[in-house]
């Protein structure tokens, strides 16, 4: 089994920054892509960013240039640095891990609220 634990959510004013972290534990054999998704009230869950085991990254269009995803494979850690936050970034953010051996897992989510 695999557990994903997110941290770092909170409240911030527009233009501010937050840093989300996700630590994976359990059977890490063949861990591949780690991702961040988010879900705002009344909306579908959407991809924010992902990073492969080799370090390749991709971002959702609305966060490009503002968010940065990184990972430390030695610690099974993925980080999402969020800068220049906007009201529309308010959502629950979820960590997601995909394994080449098969299987994928979600974290419990962490709330990010951007308000003035």
């Amino acid at each position: 089994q695999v557990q994903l634990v997110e941290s770092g959510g909170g409240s911030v004013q527009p233009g501010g920054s937050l840093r989300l972290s996700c630590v994976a534990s359990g059977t890490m054999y063949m861990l591949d892509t780690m991702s961040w998704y988010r879900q705002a009230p009344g909306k579908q869950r959407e991809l924010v960013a992902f990073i492969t085991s080799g370090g390749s990254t991709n971002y959702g269009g609305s966060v490009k240039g503002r968010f940065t995803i990184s990972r430390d494979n030695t610690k099974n850690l993925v980080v999402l640095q969020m800068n220049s936050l906007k009201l529309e970034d308010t959502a629950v953010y979820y960590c997601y891990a995909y394994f080449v051996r098969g299987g994928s897992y979600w974290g419990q989510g962490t709330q990010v609220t951007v308000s003035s």
Side-chain angles (χ1 to χ4, degrees):
Q1 276 292 349
V2 174
Q3 296 78 42
L4 302 176
V5 178
E6 301 110 331
S7 61
S11 296
V12 66
Q13 292 185 336
S17 297
L18 283 174
R19 183 175 183 266
L20 304 183
S21 297
C22 172
V23 177
S25 61
T27 304
M28 294 292 106
Y29 178 63
M30 298 187 76
L31 172 62
D32 187 17
T33 302
M34 298 190 76
S35 310
W36 287 96
Y37 284 76
R38 67 186 182 187
Q39 188 166 19
K43 294 188 177 182
Q44 290 188 333
R45 192 170 296 191
E46 63 173 356
L47 175 68
V48 176
F50 71 76
I51 183 167
T52 67
S53 57
S56 298
T57 61
N58 201 358
Y59 296 89
S62 63
V63 308
K64 281 183 179 178
R66 299 189 297 123
F67 292 10
T68 302
I69 190 170
S70 59
R71 70 190 279 176
D72 183 339
N73 291 329
T74 65
K75 299 179 180 178
N76 297 317
L77 169 70
V78 61
V79 172
L80 185 68
Q81 178 65 43
M82 305 186 294
N83 299 328
S84 302
L85 283 161
K86 302 177 180 180
L87 296 174
E88 53 264 40
D89 293 319
T90 295
V92 178
Y93 284 69
Y94 296 91
C95 180
Y96 174 81
Y98 169 75
F99 289 77
V100 176
R101 68 175 190 258
S104 58
Y105 300 86
W106 291 95
Q108 81 285 354
T110 185
Q111 177 70 48
V112 170
T113 302
V114 185
S115 67
S116 54

